[in-house]
């Protein structure tokens, strides 16, 4: 969220520090992103495309409901419980909105 809060599609990302983490997914949260994340996000924006080197950054924000929903769906599918911070990374697998946002034209 720190990267997303500052970028919002306007110019290049730079660091911003959040006052706190207000989501249910707190264990993997960061109040500020590292300079390496900013560097990779800027490089991605300059290129305008994903590279083959795996260094690109894709930033997205999922809701608490999407994160918790992903936890529940993952538990149902795999009989394994994960916390909401992990659910945030699983959310694109279970959320149509996030799938469309992240995969866009690949789904068409």
């Amino acid at each position: 969220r720190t990267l997303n809060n500052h970028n919002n599609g306007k110019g290049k990302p730079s660091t911003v520090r959040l006052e706190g983490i207000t989501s249910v997914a707190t264990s993997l949260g960061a109040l500020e992103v590292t300079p390496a994340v900013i560097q990779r996000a800027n490089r991605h924006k300059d290129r305008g495309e994903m590279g083959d080197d795996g260094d690109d950054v894709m930033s997205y924000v999922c809701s608490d409901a999407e994160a918790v929903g992903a936890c529940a769906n993952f538990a149902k599918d795999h009989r394994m419980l994960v916390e909401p911070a992990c659910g945030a990374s699983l959310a694109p697998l279970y959320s149509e909105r996030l799938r469309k946002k992240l995969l866009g034209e690949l789904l068409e």
Side-chain angles (χ1 to χ4, degrees):
R1 188 113 170 119
T2 53
L3 180 61
N4 245 25
N5 269 4
H6 191 73
N7 187 15
N8 289 327
K10 302 172 188 169
K12 291 186 176 183
S14 62
T15 58
V16 63
R17 184 164 181 80
L18 298 177
E19 290 182 21
I21 298 171
T22 59
S23 169
V24 297
T26 59
S27 66
L28 297 178
L31 296 178
E32 188 173 5
V33 296
T34 67
V37 170
I38 298 299
Q39 179 185 25
R40 289 179 178 139
N42 285 336
R43 188 170 63 231
H44 171 70
K45 194 158 188 70
D46 287 342
R47 270 201 313 253
E49 61 185 36
M50 297 294 285
D52 294 332
D53 57 7
D55 282 344
D56 291 304
V57 174
M58 292 182 71
S59 177
Y60 71 94
V61 175
C62 72
S63 68
D64 283 347
E66 287 170 321
V68 172
C71 291
N73 285 318
F74 188 78
K76 184 180 81 178
D77 292 346
H78 299 283
R79 298 177 47 88
M80 183 182 301
L81 292 175
V82 296
E83 63 178 320
C86 295
S89 64
L90 294 170
L93 300 172
Y94 295 103
S95 165
E96 184 69 23
R97 179 188 73 83
L98 291 172
R99 259 196 315 279
K100 284 180 180 176
K101 176 179 171 132
L102 295 172
L103 299 178
E105 62 224 26
L106 293 176
L107 294 173
E108 296 173 357

